[in-house]
């Protein structure tokens, strides 16, 4: 790749990865409600899911999803169901799980949820299926193609973790006021749960 291609890849990746979606919203909501540590753990979790996508794409397994619209639909619907599950779980959480007026989930659960949210995110799947291959060498052999996909994936990972941390830190700064506001626990949880459910509906509408 020449300098122009690298710049084009980096710029397009910043726009596509930074565009608000399930991953960014998950990180922001966790940081907003539980603070910086939860946001950073969420960002690391999301990019762990990105690592899985990089390996799967490099191995060529992503072509199976690309060749099967039904399989892609299943992934999209599963992602929507998981987001809906997160929202419903928050609405039904017992009062004992709330700290400073908001649900305080264990960091292990936050990490697990973040990985799953990314793996079932149709935006992430489309990125690796449709976007990255455009920057590979036409007519390249399997080994060269695999190497190029790994390098492009590494660049995506670096850009992704940078943007995710920006979301986490920015949401934490806003969340300091949000967490100290004199609003009821129930309404705060409903607000966050509502965002999850709205993302779930939006994902289903893309099918």
């Amino acid at each position: 790749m020449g300098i122009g291609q690298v710049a084009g890849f980096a710029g397009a990746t910043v726009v596509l990865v930074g565009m608000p979606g399930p991953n960014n919203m998950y990180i922001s909501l966790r940081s907003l409600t539980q603070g910086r540590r939860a946001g950073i753990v969420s960002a690391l979790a999301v990019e762990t899911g990105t690592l899985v996508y990089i390996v799967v794409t490099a191995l060529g397994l992503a072509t199976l999803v690309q060749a099967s619209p039904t399989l892609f639909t299943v992934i999209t619907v599963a992602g929507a169901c998981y987001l809906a599950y997160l929202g419903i779980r928050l609405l039904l959480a017992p009062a004992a799980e709330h700290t400073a007026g908001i649900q305080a989930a264990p960091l292990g659960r936050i990490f697990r949820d973040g990985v799953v949210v990314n793996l079932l995110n149709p935006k992430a799947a489309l990125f690796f299926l449709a976007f990255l291959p455009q920057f590979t060498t036409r007519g390249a052999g399997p080994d060269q193609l695999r190497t190029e996909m790994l390098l492009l994936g590494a660049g995506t990972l670096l850009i992704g973790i940078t943007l995710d941390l920006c979301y986490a830190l920015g949401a934490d700064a806003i969340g300091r006021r949000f967490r100290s506001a004199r609003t009821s626990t129930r309404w705060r949880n409903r607000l966050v749960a509502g965002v999850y459910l709205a993302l779930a509906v939006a994902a289903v509408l893309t099918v």
Side-chain angles (χ1 to χ4, degrees), residues 179-204:
R179 293 189 296 271
S180 62
R182 295 182 178 179
T183 55
S184 69
T185 298
R186 183 178 299 275
W187 281 107
R188 291 183 187 179
N189 292 331
R190 284 178 177 177
L191 175 62
V192 177
V195 175
Y196 283 134
L197 295 174
L199 287 172
V201 172
V204 171

Side-chain angles (χ1 to χ4, degrees), residues 149-170:
M149 291 301 295
L150 287 173
L151 291 173
L152 290 169
T156 301
L157 183 67
L158 179 61
I159 293 172
I161 190 63
T162 301
L163 293 175
D164 289 345
L165 289 175
C166 288
Y167 268 97
L169 297 178

Side-chain angles (χ1 to χ4, degrees), residues 53-191:
Y53 268 115
I54 292 171
V55 173
V56 167
T57 304
L59 292 176
L61 299 179
T63 55
L64 296 176
V65 180
Q66 190 175 30
S68 175
T70 301
L71 183 56
F72 183 78
T73 298
V74 170
I75 293 175
T76 302
V77 173
C81 290
Y82 197 76
L83 288 169
Y85 161 72
L86 293 178
I88 294 171
R89 187 179 68 187
L90 181 57
L91 287 175
L92 299 179
E97 291 189 23
H98 297 81
T99 300
I102 200 72
Q103 184 188 28
L107 294 180
R109 182 196 295 175
I110 291 174
F111 186 87
R112 180 200 66 196
D113 288 346
V115 173
V116 176
V117 165
N118 192 16
L119 291 179
L120 297 180
N121 179 9
K123 173 186 167 184
L126 281 173
F127 181 89
F128 283 93
L129 289 174
F131 177 72
L132 283 192
Q134 297 180 25
F135 293 88
T136 58
T137 303
R138 293 184 179 181
D143 292 338
Q144 180 182 347
L145 186 60
R146 186 178 301 113
T147 300
E148 289 180 357
M149 291 301 295
L150 287 173
L151 291 173
L152 290 169
T156 301
L157 183 67
L158 179 61
I159 293 172
I161 190 63
T162 301
L163 293 175
D164 289 345
L165 289 175
C166 288
Y167 268 97
L169 297 178
D172 174 60
I174 298 173
R176 292 172 189 172
R177 292 188 176 183
F178 177 80
R179 293 189 296 271
S180 62
R182 295 182 178 179
T183 55
S184 69
T185 298
R186 183 178 299 275
W187 281 107
R188 291 183 187 179
N189 292 331
R190 284 178 177 177
L191 175 62

